[in-house]
Amino acid sequence: MLAVIATLNFIINIAWFLVIASAIFSWLYAFNVINVNNNAINMIGRSLYQLTEPLYRPIRRVLPDMGGVDLSPLVVLVILYFIWYLLNTTIAAALLG
């Protein structure tokens, strides 16, 4: 059972870093810090978008329009932290005794 908990922790950590990377990339793109005409940059941006958009989409439906400020990455990070904390404190403690 410890292997399942460790694997879930690993998946949560990957999702955490993907959300942070996506948010940073979107800021760099919005402020024209990166060259958007570069194919490698476009490929990274599309990949991050496709990996994180399924996490953001349900939250964007619920959140009100904030006038250009997207809070969905912050909400996703809070949910990921909650799941990680629940997994490591409550579920792991119950399973491991």
Side-chain angles (χ1 to χ4, degrees), residues 1-85:
M1 206 42 135
L2 190 58
V4 173
I5 293 172
T7 304
L8 290 174
N9 279 332
F10 183 68
I11 292 170
I12 290 170
N13 284 335
I14 289 173
W16 180 275
F17 287 113
L18 282 174
V19 169
I20 291 174
S22 174
I24 291 172
F25 186 86
S26 70
W27 294 338
L28 294 175
Y29 183 83
F31 294 115
N32 290 325
V33 175
I34 56 176
N35 183 7
V36 294
N37 296 323
N38 188 340
N39 286 334
I41 298 297
N42 277 334
M43 186 176 65
I44 292 170
R46 278 193 310 264
S47 299
L48 286 173
Y49 178 80
Q50 290 175 350
L51 288 170
T52 56
E53 187 61 25
L55 297 172
Y56 296 159
R57 192 175 305 121
I59 293 167
R60 285 184 180 141
R61 284 189 212 131
V62 177
L63 286 179
D65 186 22
M66 301 294 279
V69 177
D70 187 15
L71 296 178
S72 56
L74 179 64
V75 174
V76 168
L77 288 177
V78 169
I79 292 170
L80 285 173
Y81 179 76
F82 174 77
I83 294 170
W84 176 83
Y85 194 79

